[in-house]
Amino acid sequence: MEDSGDFVLAKSKNQSNDSNPSDTDLVRDGSTQPLSDPDPPESPQNEKAVADLPSKVQSCFSPLLASQRPLPPSPSLASRVFHSLLLPPHGMMGTILTYILVVLTIWVVSYCVFGQIALPGEQPITLTVQGGTVFALLVLVVVAWVAGWLVQQVHLPPLLGMILVGILLKNVPYISVARGLDPAWSAALRSTALAVILLRAGLGLDPAALRQLSAMVFRLAFLPCLSETCVVAVTSHFLLGLPWLWGFMLGFVLAAVSPAVVVPCLLGLQEKGWGVAKGIPTLVIAAASVDDVLAISAFTIFLGITFNPSADLVSVILQGPLEAVVGVVFGLVWGVLAVFLPPSPNPSTLLRLLVLVGGALLALFGSDVVGLPGSGALAVLVMAFV
């Protein structure tokens, strides 16, 4: 009887231990809810293949790596020249490549923004700029900064005061000091601001949390955006009499999340440590960025179908996936360049800033030039994350 009682007691303890979550399932802030389901155990063959992959890649590129072929104690001129050409770029050769990349980036961005002015030639070019553009910019900057400071004094986001000032200066009668802003200048400034915001978003992402919440990021990005778009399209069709295509375009315009609002707020919360243990800032920032890419790509597709009905429907529909692929590839390539240029061990902070910001501006302005506007924002986010 005693043995049977001990067996029942041990069994009940095992069941209670199985029913309680382990320490690894709990988040760091003491919550009793696991962040996500634990990953299923991988087979030994898969683990071995994943572990051998870096060694195989390194063995393939080892003849080209500078770390595998160090210079002799007294190298000759030919040995130094050959060593300077090895990977990754290093020394004087790496610095020269960095300067070349920066100059080429500035030139290409200038062409994407200013057009023919950046090309070689001696023919005169006529430009038309709306009068009062510089004065309007100065007024907007000063008044928006003052309004943001005043709103911040009552413990509200400064962005609220800036938005209210923009609405007043644009729409209130008899206030025309800021209406002379040239539309082309305004679009270029908005793209530049978006590049800076997306760079901050990508640099603020947590790789571990993003890997764990990758599926949730896409659900949070796709489901609300598509649901809001469908509701707006149906409502605008039956209440406003808009065609279905116009209704969906209006839906994607309204459903897009503004990174200018989301990213600074989430980065502020992340600096204070709120929600970091569960990866909430990373989740929302990544989802908002993917939501923007989805809204821009879908809007571009419906815009092409509406105003170019004779175009090939398959090519128009495939433009969205093409923009995503181009954005990811360009972001990965430029992110790797920003890792190795300027060269280590003492990289120049200014040169790295120029490479990263130049790549972001090139992605946003260049994507419009090549006709893939949705790829620019995704490329900036990916390159900053890499």
Side-chain angles (χ1 to χ4, degrees):
M1 294 296 291
E2 293 179 359
D3 295 339
S4 62
D6 295 339
F7 174 76
V8 172
L9 181 60
K11 184 176 181 181
S12 62
K13 290 181 178 180
N14 292 335
Q15 292 177 350
S16 62
N17 291 334
D18 294 339
S19 61
N20 293 329
S22 61
D23 294 338
T24 58
D25 293 333
L26 301 181
V27 293
R28 287 174 288 175
D29 58 357
S31 174
T32 58
Q33 297 295 330
L35 188 61
S36 63
D37 295 334
D39 297 332
E42 297 183 357
S43 61
Q45 293 82 1
N46 294 336
E47 293 179 356
K48 184 178 179 181
V50 173
D52 293 341
L53 183 60
S55 61
K56 292 180 179 179
V57 174
Q58 185 176 3
S59 62
C60 294
F61 288 94
S62 58
L64 302 177
L65 297 178
S67 59
Q68 302 296 326
R69 313 187 80 174
L71 284 173
S74 299
S76 61
L77 178 60
S79 299
R80 292 197 299 268
V81 172
F82 177 76
H83 187 266
S84 65
L85 299 177
L86 296 177
L87 300 177
H90 58 283
M92 183 61 67
M93 182 59 67
T95 304
I96 293 175
L97 291 177
T98 304
Y99 279 110
I100 293 174
L101 180 63
V102 169
V103 172
L104 289 178
T105 303
I106 294 175
W107 175 69
V108 177
V109 171
S110 300
Y111 171 74
C112 294
V113 176
F114 301 108
Q116 299 294 326
I117 297 180
L119 296 179
E122 299 179 355
Q123 298 296 328
I125 299 175
T126 303
L127 294 178
T128 303
V129 180
Q130 185 171 340
T133 296
V134 176
F135 180 76
L137 283 176
L138 292 176
V139 171
L140 281 174
V141 171
V142 173
V143 178
W145 184 84
V146 172
W149 180 80
L150 292 175
V151 171
Q152 193 175 15
Q153 302 308 307
V154 293
H155 305 287
L156 290 175
L159 184 62
L160 177 61
M162 299 178 184
I163 292 176
L164 292 177
V165 164
I167 295 174
L168 293 176
L169 293 179
K170 184 68 176 179
N171 299 285
V172 173
Y174 309 110
I175 301 179
S176 59
V177 291
R179 295 183 183 180
L181 183 60
D182 190 89
W185 285 46
S186 177
L189 291 175
R190 287 198 302 268
S191 297
T192 304
L194 180 61
V196 175
I197 292 170
L198 291 177
L199 280 177
R200 293 184 61 194
L203 294 173
L205 294 178
D206 184 6
L210 187 62
R211 188 183 305 110
Q212 190 175 12
L213 301 172
S214 57
M216 193 179 299
V217 167
F218 285 97
R219 290 200 301 269
L220 186 59
F222 278 73
L223 293 181
C225 181
L226 296 178
S227 301
E228 294 175 24
T229 301
C230 292
V231 171
V232 171
V234 173
T235 305
S236 61
H237 177 74
F238 289 105
L239 291 183
L240 303 178
L242 293 180
W244 284 109
L245 292 177
W246 285 84
F248 278 101
M249 282 195 294
L250 177 63
F252 281 112
V253 169
L254 297 179
V257 176
S258 175
V261 178
V262 175
V263 173
C265 295
L266 268 297
L267 290 178
L269 295 178
Q270 184 173 346
E271 292 176 357
K272 297 178 182 178
W274 293 354
V276 175
K278 295 183 179 180
I280 294 176
T282 296
L283 171 65
V284 178
I285 290 174
S289 304
V290 176
D291 180 284
D292 265 356
V293 175
L294 172 64
I296 295 173
S297 301
F299 177 81
T300 305
I301 291 173
F302 282 101
L303 188 67
I305 296 174
T306 303
F307 291 97
N308 193 11
S310 61
D312 186 15
L313 184 60
V314 176
S315 61
V316 174
I317 294 176
L318 290 179
Q319 184 176 359
L322 179 62
E323 290 179 349
V325 173
V326 171
V328 171
V329 172
F330 183 84
L332 288 175
V333 172
W334 202 272
V336 173
L337 285 178
V339 170
F340 293 108
L341 295 177
S344 299
N346 297 314
S348 171
T349 304
L350 177 61
L351 288 178
R352 177 151 294 175
L353 178 65
L354 290 175
V355 170
L356 195 58
V357 175
L361 295 177
L362 178 61
L364 281 177
F365 290 111
S367 61
D368 291 333
V369 173
V370 300
L372 298 173
S375 61
L378 183 59
V380 176
L381 185 71
V382 172
M383 74 174 64
F385 178 71
V386 171

